[in-house]
């Protein structure tokens, strides 16, 4: 099973700042990695798939990069609604696995 | 597209069984792989099981193999998860999730999830 390790566990920033979240895989997942946002009481929302492709309706301030074992989600300028928990997910190998999450707080 | 709706969760004793259901609308159900993903406060998100659009292929995470059975009824736009031999570790909110990519052949595996239900809570306790 591929283990995804996200860092930091918690990131404290202010609106307008740039956020950089990391996801590291225990073995190569090529570019088969996605990012999700989850707010309290809500289901996860797909942001990025295949490492760098924005999902439908996702603002351009969200971008993804990386391949192999190291991936980054960048939010260029934080909006108040961006403070949430972010998860990465790989689909390179079965089973599909998720990272443990990064909490982005104000 | 309408958010899927899960049902069937509840309080069950260790060793018990449940059948979770997920009803969908607003898209051609048979053209999408579907999955169940669960979430606990301690373990975060965990993909549990998936099924191809035509129902011909099923996929399971190791902790649930042999205990959970995923199925779908494309005539009813419905997804199911039969769960048995439940333990406290199965306590979680269970989400139904649609694959992001349309698959006209109906034989694609789950990959990424772009449409999620609100979840149904399963609590295993005596």
């Amino acid at each position: 099973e591929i283990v995804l390790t996200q860092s930091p566990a918690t990131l404290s920033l202010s609106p307008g700042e740039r956020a950089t979240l990391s996801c590291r895989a225990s073995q190569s997942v090529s570019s088969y990695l996605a990012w999700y946002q989850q707010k309290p009481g809500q289901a996860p929302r797909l942001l990025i798939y295949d490492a760098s492709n924005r999902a439908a309706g996702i603002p351009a301030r969200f971008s993804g990069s990386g391949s192999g074992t190291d991936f980054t989600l960048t939010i260029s300028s934080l909006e108040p609604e961006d403070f949430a928990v972010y998860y990465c997910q790989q689909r390179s190998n079965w089973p599909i696995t998720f990272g443990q999450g990064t909490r982005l707080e104000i | 597209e309408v958010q899927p709706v899960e049902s069937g969760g509840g309080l069950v004793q260790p060793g018990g069984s449940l059948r979770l259901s997920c009803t969908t609308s607003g898209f051609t159900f048979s053209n999408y792989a579907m999955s169940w993903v669960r979430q606990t406060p301690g373990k975060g998100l965990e993909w549990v099981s998936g099924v191809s659009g035509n129902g011909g292929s099923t996929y399971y995470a190791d902790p649930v193999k042999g205990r959970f059975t995923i199925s779908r009824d494309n005539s009813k736009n419905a997804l199911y998860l039969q769960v048995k031999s439940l333990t406290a570790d199965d306590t979680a909110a269970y989400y139904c999730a649609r694959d992001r990519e349309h698959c006209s052949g109906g034989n694609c595996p789950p990959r990424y999830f772009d449409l999620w239900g609100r979840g149904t809570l399963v609590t295993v306790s005596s």
Side-chain angles (χ1 to χ4, degrees):
Chain A
E1 168 174 321
I2 293 178
V3 176
L4 300 177
T5 302
Q6 293 186 239
S7 61
T10 302
L11 183 59
S12 299
L13 292 171
S14 299
E17 291 192 294
R18 181 185 187 90
T20 303
L21 287 68
S22 175
C23 178
R24 176 164 288 177
S26 58
Q27 63 189 77
S28 177
V29 299
S30 186
S31 294
Y32 299 130
L33 189 109
W35 290 93
Y36 297 83
Q37 176 194 67
Q38 187 177 31
K39 297 179 181 179
Q42 297 183 16
R45 173 193 181 197
L46 178 66
L47 300 174
I48 301 286
Y49 65 94
D50 287 344
S52 61
N53 296 299
R54 271 190 303 276
I58 301 304
R61 64 181 181 274
F62 292 92
S63 64
S65 63
S67 66
T69 61
D70 291 302
F71 299 86
T72 300
L73 173 70
T74 302
I75 310 172
S76 59
S77 179
L78 285 165
E79 298 287 342
E81 62 267 28
D82 297 337
F83 292 91
V85 180
Y86 292 82
Y87 295 94
C88 55
Q89 173 237 318
Q90 67 82 24
R91 66 103 166 165
S92 174
N93 283 25
W94 295 104
I96 290 170
T97 52
F98 290 86
Q100 84 282 12
T102 289
R103 180 177 303 278
L104 178 56
E105 64 177 27
I106 298 177
Chain B
E1 294 164 340
V2 177
Q3 186 174 27
V5 178
E6 302 93 338
S7 61
L11 176 62
V12 60
Q13 293 188 337
S17 301
L18 284 174
R19 188 194 196 206
L20 308 184
S21 300
C22 170
T23 55
T24 71
S25 63
F27 62 96
T28 305
F29 185 67
S30 60
N31 284 345
Y32 291 86
M34 298 292 295
S35 287
W36 289 95
V37 178
R38 66 186 180 185
Q39 185 170 32
T40 62
K43 294 178 70 175
L45 292 167
E46 181 183 21
W47 175 83
V48 171
S49 181
V51 59
S52 60
N54 60 13
S57 297
T58 57
Y59 309 84
Y60 297 95
D62 283 347
V64 308
K65 274 181 187 174
R67 301 188 300 122
F68 289 13
T69 303
I70 192 170
S71 61
R72 63 191 296 159
D73 185 339
N74 287 345
S75 69
K76 297 181 178 179
N77 294 340
L79 177 72
Y80 307 102
L81 188 68
Q82 180 72 45
V83 301
K84 65 180 184 179
S85 303
L86 287 164
T87 72
D89 286 346
D90 297 314
T91 294
Y94 284 73
Y95 293 100
C96 159
R98 187 189 77 174
D99 200 76
R100 186 199 70 83
E101 195 165 339
H102 173 281
C103 178
S104 57
N107 58 353
C108 300
R111 288 163 289 198
Y112 306 119
F113 315 112
D114 72 338
L115 188 64
W116 298 64
R118 294 181 182 273
T120 187
L121 183 61
V122 173
T123 303
V124 183
S125 175
S126 56

